[in-house]
Amino acid sequence: MEIVFATNNRHKLEEIGALLGKRFRLLGLQDLDISTEIPEDHNTLKENASQKAWFIYQASGRNCFADDTGLEVHALGGAPGVFSARYARIGHPTFPEMEPAAGNIRKLLLEMEKIEQRAACFRTVISLVWNGKEHQFEGVMSGTITREPSGTKGFGYDPVFRPEGYELTFAEMDLSLKNQISHRALAVEKLIDFLMQM
Ligand code: ITT
């Protein structure tokens, strides 16, 4: 079965490709020669996932899905949440000289410097547009924000997120372990269950 993943993030493509395995032929935007930036200008993960999936469904004419993910820190009222990708660039830009993921992590650790309560979660919403109809799937992984970045694997906030029940951050884990337990894996499991019935 062929399906398009509407993302510009190569790490996500790799993670979801590994999760879907051989059952599906996963096409990225490069395979379709689509190089436009996908819009995501809403204030919720659900709306952004939906916007991305419909945009590529209409551009490609193929069944496709998109994921929108946010890191929610409880002591920060759920921030950065839907603004996770542009956290360090919101308002007065912080660390403009750094590459985005490093700047986001620096800002987060600074905001949390005096905060003892470090509970957080990653939330992924996947929107699938299948034959012109939309379906959504959600996955949540709880954990804590560390005081220092640790590890070089993964991407985004992985170096400062330690999932519940583990001593390692996501960036210290092999991709295969992250893929067994992550927010994205949980959402993809539901996506696969759905696709298997098609
Ligand atoms: P697309 O919209 O093209 O899919 P993106 O990188 O913009 O790619 P999101 O809007 O979903 O993806 O991501 C929001 C932010 O959360 C972004 O900074 C990511 O680096 C980060 N993020 C997403 N999934 C993550 C994960 O599994 N581990 C760590 N950080 C993650």
Side-chain angles (χ1 to χ4, degrees), residues 7-9 12 40 52 69 155 157-158 178 183-184:
T7 184
N8 288 310
N9 183 323
K12 284 188 183 178
E40 52 175 313
K52 292 191 257 188
T69 297
F155 67 101
Y157 295 88
D158 281 344
K178 182 185 175 192
H183 41 292
R184 191 164 298 102

Side-chain angles (χ1 to χ4, degrees), residues 70-166:
L71 175 67
E72 300 173 2
V73 178
H74 304 334
L76 299 179
V82 70
F83 303 111
S84 294
R86 46 203 147 117
Y87 188 42
R89 280 176 283 142
I90 295 169
H92 178 69
T94 10
F95 314 116
E97 73 288 358
M98 289 181 141
E99 60 99 14
N104 287 340
I105 286 178
R106 275 289 288 281
K107 176 167 174 180
L108 181 67
L109 292 180
L110 209 60
E111 296 281 331
M112 295 186 70
E113 217 171 5
K114 298 195 171 69
I115 296 178
E116 292 303 323
Q117 168 49 266
R118 304 186 72 86
C121 69
F122 269 118
R123 187 183 305 276
T124 290
V125 175
I126 290 179
S127 260
L128 167 73
V129 182
W130 187 264
N131 297 339
K133 204 162 169 256
E134 185 179 2
H135 309 267
Q136 287 198 322
F137 312 95
E138 190 170 294
V140 179
M141 179 76 218
S142 299
T144 51
I145 303 299
T146 57
R147 293 220 166 250
E148 292 291 332
S150 187
T152 54
K153 296 173 197 149
F155 67 101
Y157 295 88
D158 281 344
V160 291
F161 185 83
R162 186 181 293 135
E164 209 166 77
Y166 293 83

Side-chain angles (χ1 to χ4, degrees), residues 11 21 45 63 65 71 73 90 111 119 122 129 149 151 159 169 173-174:
H11 299 283
L45 297 177
N63 289 325
F65 66 92
L71 175 67
V73 178
I90 295 169
E111 296 281 331
F122 269 118
V129 182
T169 66
M173 286 179 179
D174 283 339

Side-chain angles (χ1 to χ4, degrees), residues 176-190:
S176 58
L177 180 54
K178 182 185 175 192
N179 268 345
Q180 277 170 41
I181 62 172
S182 79
H183 41 292
R184 191 164 298 102
L186 293 166
V188 169
E189 217 171 277
K190 295 178 188 170

